[in-house]
Amino acid sequence: MADQISLETREKTGGTSPDAPTPAEAQRTPPDLATFHENLQADSLLPLWEIMRRLAASEPRNGGDPIFWSWANLRRYSMDAGELITAAEAERRVLVLDNPAFAGEGRATNSLYAGIQLLLPGEVAASHRHTASALRLILEGEGGYTAVDGEQVIMSPGDFIVTPTGTFHDHGNPSEEPVLWLDGLDVFVVNLLNAPFGEDYPTDRQAIARPTGDSLSRYGSGLLPHAYARSGARSPMFWWPYERTKSSLDAVRAAGGADPVLGFRMNFIDPTTGQSPIKTMTASMSLFPSGFEGDFYRSISGHVCSVVEGTGEVTVDDRTWRVGPKDVFILPSWKWHRFQASDDLVIFSFSDEVLQRHLGFWRDERRPHPKA
Ligand code: GTQ
């Protein structure tokens, strides 16, 4: 009698009762393995044992390829783009660094986006904002500007600029010469988390609320305005002029003690936190003194690099590139590489290091280079 009732209940509730199997279920034999997999797939299920190694690999394999772009090529293609499309039409006239390991996806590394942006004299890239944060290294041209969150700065080669998440930003070139820079964005992290929002500013150029250099004078000298309260996740400082970066590198170098892999490396920081101004990306400027012969190194963070000054050689796995000013190259995650400096070599780089450290994923390894 009790059995009878529970059977009826099970039928009514669609068979979800945790009771003992019905006589029919108990007698059922499973199908063969192939049919079982097909049945699972049809019901949106997967056997973990078939994909376990892919989901949780024993070591990283998908960091992308090492790749080098000479400045001569990047500049020529950019100037061609300048003839073929206006900045207004393009919205952002950028050649995206597309790692062949992820062809067509617009990835420089597994996690990083990078591109070369061009503004011709008189052009404006209209103001917008989005969840993705951007960082920029100015490559060529004096007198272009970027406006970020109500403040405009004039860009010079070697300058580092950030547009933190959600800040309105627009660029313009009132000078007589083309202006080119390297963009880095965390779009793939944003998209992984399905967090992208964006909107245009009502006009091409955003309203300017503070004088040029205001944030640098307020926050960039080891001082903070009294009773400063940080609003939101944004770094209040967004422009690091190269002159200041270079003199700090020169001073550190004069004190000696180069790291055998990284030379003299300084990270850009939000002065109110001591952390990277962008929470997903670490950006650095490294000085390798003339004659530097680096040890081999690999880290779990792929790097996008560009030479600011000097020449040298970069070896990744079994290939070596001769690198010079404004060349761009990728050091993929977990691939052995080393730097050699022919003369004083200054290299800008950015990576996802700060994010990986925060998540507890960070790893790096060193291997001495046999000295001659
Ligand atoms: O300058 O705002 O390379 O929004 C990609 C997306 C640059 C920019 C990029 C962007 C920008």
Side-chain angles (χ1 to χ4, degrees), residues 26-309:
Q27 280 160 22
R28 205 175 148 269
T29 49
D32 63 75
L33 198 61
T35 313
F36 176 61
H37 285 171
E38 277 167 31
N39 293 348
L40 283 182
Q41 209 172 5
D43 260 323
S44 305
L45 295 163
L46 275 178
L48 174 61
W49 56 93
E50 295 289 323
I51 59 168
M52 182 83 161
R53 286 275 164 245
R54 251 191 298 143
L55 291 190
S58 51
E59 70 173 321
R61 268 180 307 229
N62 297 320
D65 295 340
I67 172 161
F68 169 89
W69 293 268
S70 73
W71 176 241
N73 276 348
L74 291 174
R75 191 179 195 285
R76 184 163 42 79
Y77 283 128
S78 295
M79 298 313 289
D80 285 351
E83 306 243 323
L84 294 167
I85 188 165
T86 66
E89 285 166 342
E91 204 176 325
R92 295 292 188 266
R93 190 203 283 115
V94 176
L95 300 181
V96 178
L97 306 184
D98 192 40
N99 194 302
F102 314 106
E105 294 179 33
R107 289 176 198 265
T109 71
N110 53 297
S111 65
L112 302 172
Y113 164 101
I116 305 295
Q117 186 161 170
L118 164 70
L119 275 186
L120 291 170
E123 286 187 325
V124 165
S127 198
H128 68 193
R129 66 173 173 183
H130 35 70
T131 305
S133 294
L135 56 80
R136 309 181 206 283
L137 173 77
I138 312 312
L139 297 171
E140 180 186 311
E142 296 272 353
Y145 70 81
T146 275
V148 182
D149 218 16
E151 185 179 333
Q152 181 173 299
V153 295
I154 307 301
M155 310 187 283
S156 299
D159 288 4
F160 175 69
I161 291 169
V162 297
T163 60
T165 179
T167 48
F168 277 110
H169 52 281
D170 47 274
H171 323 294
N173 180 7
S175 85
E176 305 286 309
E177 302 295 330
V179 171
L180 296 109
W181 65 84
L182 173 71
D183 282 325
L185 279 87
D186 59 2
V187 278
F188 299 115
V189 176
V190 173
N191 292 342
L192 174 71
L193 301 173
N194 193 37
F197 292 93
E199 62 176 323
D200 289 334
Y201 194 80
T203 51
D204 277 2
R205 298 180 65 164
Q206 67 178 287
I208 298 304
R210 297 182 305 280
T212 292
D214 187 73
S215 63
L216 185 62
S217 4
R218 278 178 208 273
Y219 308 105
S221 305
L223 297 162
L224 281 185
H226 180 68
Y228 167 78
R230 200 158 183 278
S231 61
R234 296 165 195 177
S235 169
M237 191 165 133
F238 65 94
W239 174 46
W240 289 256
Y242 184 57
E243 218 175 275
R244 291 169 55 133
T245 308
K246 185 66 196 322
S247 59
S248 128
L249 282 172
D250 286 341
V252 168
R253 182 254 185 92
D259 181 283
V261 162
L262 308 174
F264 298 98
R265 176 167 295 187
M266 302 291 279
N267 292 345
F268 295 96
I269 58 151
D270 171 347
T272 67
T273 61
Q275 305 294 311
S276 173
I278 293 179
K279 288 176 183 295
T280 45
M281 297 186 283
T282 300
S284 314
M285 200 72 87
S286 305
L287 170 64
F288 303 95
S290 179
F292 184 84
E293 292 277 340
D295 281 348
F296 281 101
Y297 182 67
R298 64 176 179 179
S299 86
I300 199 57
S301 292
H303 283 69
V304 177
C305 306
S306 181
V307 176
V308 179
E309 292 185 63

